[in-house]
PDB file of all heavy atoms in Angstrom:
ATOM      1  N   GLY A1544     111.626 102.304  93.501  1.00  0.00           N
ATOM      2  CA  GLY A1544     112.897 103.202  93.481  1.00  0.00           C
ATOM      3  C   GLY A1544     113.368 103.236  94.823  1.00  0.00           C
ATOM      4  O   GLY A1544     114.546 103.082  95.157  1.00  0.00           O
ATOM      5  N   ALA A1545     112.531 103.463  95.941  1.00  0.00           N
ATOM      6  CA  ALA A1545     112.948 103.493  97.430  1.00  0.00           C
ATOM      7  C   ALA A1545     113.543 102.058  97.810  1.00  0.00           C
ATOM      8  O   ALA A1545     114.496 102.025  98.555  1.00  0.00           O
ATOM      9  CB  ALA A1545     111.708 103.951  98.174  1.00  0.00           C
ATOM     10  N   LEU A1546     112.907 101.034  97.226  1.00  0.00           N
ATOM     11  CA  LEU A1546     113.484  99.608  97.451  1.00  0.00           C
ATOM     12  C   LEU A1546     114.629  99.337  96.715  1.00  0.00           C
ATOM     13  O   LEU A1546     115.270  98.288  96.925  1.00  0.00           O
ATOM     14  CB  LEU A1546     112.350  98.684  97.244  1.00  0.00           C
ATOM     15  CG  LEU A1546     111.094  98.689  98.221  1.00  0.00           C
ATOM     16  CD1 LEU A1546     110.036  97.728  97.681  1.00  0.00           C
ATOM     17  CD2 LEU A1546     111.506  98.455  99.678  1.00  0.00           C
ATOM     18  N   ARG A1547     115.054 100.171  95.633  1.00  0.00           N
ATOM     19  CA  ARG A1547     116.092  99.956  94.852  1.00  0.00           C
ATOM     20  C   ARG A1547     115.889  98.630  94.074  1.00  0.00           C
ATOM     21  O   ARG A1547     116.716  97.678  94.017  1.00  0.00           O
ATOM     22  CB  ARG A1547     117.483  99.863  95.550  1.00  0.00           C
ATOM     23  CG  ARG A1547     117.850 101.365  96.058  1.00  0.00           C
ATOM     24  CD  ARG A1547     118.428 101.323  97.404  1.00  0.00           C
ATOM     25  NE  ARG A1547     117.493 100.893  98.454  1.00  0.00           N
ATOM     26  CZ  ARG A1547     117.848  99.994  99.381  1.00  0.00           C
ATOM     27  NH1 ARG A1547     119.064  99.434  99.373  1.00  0.00           N
ATOM     28  NH2 ARG A1547     116.965  99.596 100.261  1.00  0.00           N
ATOM     29  N   ARG A1548     114.683  98.508  93.610  1.00  0.00           N
ATOM     30  CA  ARG A1548     114.295  97.306  92.785  1.00  0.00           C
ATOM     31  C   ARG A1548     113.804  97.558  91.362  1.00  0.00           C
ATOM     32  O   ARG A1548     112.568  97.128  91.044  1.00  0.00           O
ATOM     33  CB  ARG A1548     113.335  96.496  93.732  1.00  0.00           C
ATOM     34  CG  ARG A1548     113.925  95.992  94.844  1.00  0.00           C
ATOM     35  CD  ARG A1548     113.201  94.789  95.318  1.00  0.00           C
ATOM     36  NE  ARG A1548     113.755  94.182  96.533  1.00  0.00           N
ATOM     37  CZ  ARG A1548     113.451  93.179  97.117  1.00  0.00           C
ATOM     38  NH1 ARG A1548     112.543  92.396  96.547  1.00  0.00           N
ATOM     39  NH2 ARG A1548     114.130  92.693  98.199  1.00  0.00           N
ATOM     40  N   LYS A1549     114.620  98.243  90.601  1.00  0.00           N
ATOM     41  CA  LYS A1549     114.348  98.545  89.242  1.00  0.00           C
ATOM     42  C   LYS A1549     112.940  99.336  89.043  1.00  0.00           C
ATOM     43  O   LYS A1549     112.671 100.187  89.952  1.00  0.00           O
ATOM     44  CB  LYS A1549     114.338  97.255  88.409  1.00  0.00           C
ATOM     45  CG  LYS A1549     115.802  96.664  88.517  1.00  0.00           C
ATOM     46  CD  LYS A1549     115.933  95.594  87.572  1.00  0.00           C
ATOM     47  CE  LYS A1549     117.463  94.988  87.750  1.00  0.00           C
ATOM     48  NZ  LYS A1549     117.464  93.604  87.991  1.00  0.00           N
ATOM     49  N   ASP A1550     112.079  98.927  88.095  1.00  0.00           N
ATOM     50  CA  ASP A1550     110.995  99.614  87.712  1.00  0.00           C
ATOM     51  C   ASP A1550     109.752  98.809  87.332  1.00  0.00           C
ATOM     52  O   ASP A1550     109.874  97.471  87.284  1.00  0.00           O
ATOM     53  CB  ASP A1550     111.234 100.613  86.588  1.00  0.00           C
ATOM     54  CG  ASP A1550     111.793  99.902  85.277  1.00  0.00           C
ATOM     55  OD1 ASP A1550     111.513  98.670  85.203  1.00  0.00           O
ATOM     56  OD2 ASP A1550     112.649 100.554  84.612  1.00  0.00           O
ATOM     57  N   ILE A1551     108.704  99.401  87.176  1.00  0.00           N
ATOM     58  CA  ILE A1551     107.291  98.762  87.113  1.00  0.00           C
ATOM     59  C   ILE A1551     107.397  97.850  85.841  1.00  0.00           C
ATOM     60  O   ILE A1551     106.817  96.681  85.923  1.00  0.00           O
ATOM     61  CB  ILE A1551     106.194  99.714  86.968  1.00  0.00           C
ATOM     62  CG1 ILE A1551     104.808  99.024  87.124  1.00  0.00           C
ATOM     63  CG2 ILE A1551     106.331 100.596  85.776  1.00  0.00           C
ATOM     64  CD1 ILE A1551     103.638  99.987  87.384  1.00  0.00           C
ATOM     65  N   GLY A1552     108.054  98.278  84.741  1.00  0.00           N
ATOM     66  CA  GLY A1552     108.036  97.509  83.440  1.00  0.00           C
ATOM     67  C   GLY A1552     108.792  96.174  83.732  1.00  0.00           C
ATOM     68  O   GLY A1552     108.542  95.196  83.018  1.00  0.00           O
ATOM     69  N   THR A1553     109.766  96.101  84.682  1.00  0.00           N
ATOM     70  CA  THR A1553     110.534  94.755  84.987  1.00  0.00           C
ATOM     71  C   THR A1553     109.522  93.638  85.396  1.00  0.00           C
ATOM     72  O   THR A1553     109.633  92.653  85.051  1.00  0.00           O
ATOM     73  CB  THR A1553     111.487  94.965  86.025  1.00  0.00           C
ATOM     74  OG1 THR A1553     112.273  96.203  85.639  1.00  0.00           O
ATOM     75  CG2 THR A1553     112.507  93.873  86.222  1.00  0.00           C
ATOM     76  N   TYR A1554     108.551  94.151  86.204  1.00  0.00           N
ATOM     77  CA  TYR A1554     107.706  93.192  86.810  1.00  0.00           C
ATOM     78  C   TYR A1554     106.326  93.042  86.003  1.00  0.00           C
ATOM     79  O   TYR A1554     105.856  91.955  86.038  1.00  0.00           O
ATOM     80  CB  TYR A1554     107.316  93.639  88.197  1.00  0.00           C
ATOM     81  CG  TYR A1554     108.496  93.796  88.946  1.00  0.00           C
ATOM     82  CD1 TYR A1554     109.054  95.028  89.215  1.00  0.00           C
ATOM     83  CD2 TYR A1554     109.140  92.644  89.702  1.00  0.00           C
ATOM     84  CE1 TYR A1554     110.334  95.205  89.869  1.00  0.00           C
ATOM     85  CE2 TYR A1554     110.440  92.741  90.402  1.00  0.00           C
ATOM     86  CZ  TYR A1554     111.004  94.027  90.527  1.00  0.00           C
ATOM     87  OH  TYR A1554     112.136  94.193  91.235  1.00  0.00           O
ATOM     88  N   PHE A1555     105.983  94.001  85.389  1.00  0.00           N
ATOM     89  CA  PHE A1555     104.654  94.095  84.452  1.00  0.00           C
ATOM     90  C   PHE A1555     105.032  94.551  83.114  1.00  0.00           C
ATOM     91  O   PHE A1555     104.619  95.548  82.595  1.00  0.00           O
ATOM     92  CB  PHE A1555     103.577  94.872  85.165  1.00  0.00           C
ATOM     93  CG  PHE A1555     103.301  94.538  86.575  1.00  0.00           C
ATOM     94  CD1 PHE A1555     103.961  95.090  87.726  1.00  0.00           C
ATOM     95  CD2 PHE A1555     102.494  93.308  86.906  1.00  0.00           C
ATOM     96  CE1 PHE A1555     103.606  94.844  88.866  1.00  0.00           C
ATOM     97  CE2 PHE A1555     102.297  92.935  88.076  1.00  0.00           C
ATOM     98  CZ  PHE A1555     102.848  93.692  89.145  1.00  0.00           C
ATOM     99  N   PRO A1556     105.685  93.586  82.267  1.00  0.00           N
ATOM    100  CA  PRO A1556     106.030  94.061  80.759  1.00  0.00           C
ATOM    101  C   PRO A1556     104.696  94.007  80.055  1.00  0.00           C
ATOM    102  O   PRO A1556     103.690  93.572  80.367  1.00  0.00           O
ATOM    103  CB  PRO A1556     106.902  92.984  80.398  1.00  0.00           C
ATOM    104  CG  PRO A1556     106.708  91.828  81.344  1.00  0.00           C
ATOM    105  CD  PRO A1556     106.168  92.314  82.626  1.00  0.00           C
ATOM    106  N   ASN A1557     104.818  94.767  78.858  1.00  0.00           N
ATOM    107  CA  ASN A1557     103.751  94.856  77.955  1.00  0.00           C
ATOM    108  C   ASN A1557     103.489  93.525  77.252  1.00  0.00           C
ATOM    109  O   ASN A1557     103.568  93.409  75.980  1.00  0.00           O
ATOM    110  CB  ASN A1557     104.022  95.884  76.934  1.00  0.00           C
ATOM    111  CG  ASN A1557     104.069  97.273  77.452  1.00  0.00           C
ATOM    112  OD1 ASN A1557     103.466  97.431  78.676  1.00  0.00           O
ATOM    113  ND2 ASN A1557     104.535  98.350  76.816  1.00  0.00           N
ATOM    114  N   THR A1558     103.233  92.457  77.926  1.00  0.00           N
ATOM    115  CA  THR A1558     102.919  91.240  77.445  1.00  0.00           C
ATOM    116  C   THR A1558     101.399  90.876  77.486  1.00  0.00           C
ATOM    117  O   THR A1558     100.753  91.642  78.011  1.00  0.00           O
ATOM    118  CB  THR A1558     103.681  90.122  78.119  1.00  0.00           C
ATOM    119  OG1 THR A1558     103.400  90.186  79.496  1.00  0.00           O
ATOM    120  CG2 THR A1558     105.293  90.284  78.057  1.00  0.00           C
ATOM    121  N   LYS A1559     101.150  89.891  76.833  1.00  0.00           N
ATOM    122  CA  LYS A1559      99.655  89.417  76.681  1.00  0.00           C
ATOM    123  C   LYS A1559      99.109  89.200  78.054  1.00  0.00           C
ATOM    124  O   LYS A1559      97.987  89.584  78.498  1.00  0.00           O
ATOM    125  CB  LYS A1559      99.544  88.113  75.984  1.00  0.00           C
ATOM    126  CG  LYS A1559      98.465  88.018  74.955  1.00  0.00           C
ATOM    127  CD  LYS A1559      98.520  86.798  74.115  1.00  0.00           C
ATOM    128  CE  LYS A1559      97.386  86.648  73.171  1.00  0.00           C
ATOM    129  NZ  LYS A1559      97.461  85.345  72.538  1.00  0.00           N
ATOM    130  N   LYS A1560      99.972  88.656  79.038  1.00  0.00           N
ATOM    131  CA  LYS A1560      99.520  88.281  80.382  1.00  0.00           C
ATOM    132  C   LYS A1560      99.047  89.538  81.153  1.00  0.00           C
ATOM    133  O   LYS A1560      98.066  89.439  81.842  1.00  0.00           O
ATOM    134  CB  LYS A1560     100.759  87.711  81.112  1.00  0.00           C
ATOM    135  CG  LYS A1560     100.355  87.167  82.418  1.00  0.00           C
ATOM    136  CD  LYS A1560     101.605  86.571  83.121  1.00  0.00           C
ATOM    137  CE  LYS A1560     101.334  86.289  84.555  1.00  0.00           C
ATOM    138  NZ  LYS A1560     102.594  85.945  85.366  1.00  0.00           N
ATOM    139  N   TYR A1561      99.459  90.735  80.882  1.00  0.00           N
ATOM    140  CA  TYR A1561      99.147  91.925  81.612  1.00  0.00           C
ATOM    141  C   TYR A1561      98.155  92.868  80.728  1.00  0.00           C
ATOM    142  O   TYR A1561      97.976  94.017  81.177  1.00  0.00           O
ATOM    143  CB  TYR A1561     100.360  92.633  82.096  1.00  0.00           C
ATOM    144  CG  TYR A1561     101.163  91.794  83.064  1.00  0.00           C
ATOM    145  CD1 TYR A1561     102.453  91.324  82.636  1.00  0.00           C
ATOM    146  CD2 TYR A1561     100.635  91.305  84.309  1.00  0.00           C
ATOM    147  CE1 TYR A1561     103.165  90.534  83.499  1.00  0.00           C
ATOM    148  CE2 TYR A1561     101.385  90.491  85.161  1.00  0.00           C
ATOM    149  CZ  TYR A1561     102.729  90.144  84.691  1.00  0.00           C
ATOM    150  OH  TYR A1561     103.410  89.381  85.569  1.00  0.00           O
TER     151      TYR A1561
END
Side-chain angles (χ1 to χ4, degrees):
L1546 292 175
R1547 291 141 295 135
R1548 296 208 173 188
K1549 302 191 177 122
D1550 53 31
I1551 192 169
T1553 307
Y1554 304 94
F1555 304 99
N1557 290 345
T1558 55
K1559 225 178 175 180
K1560 189 180 170 192
Y1561 299 114

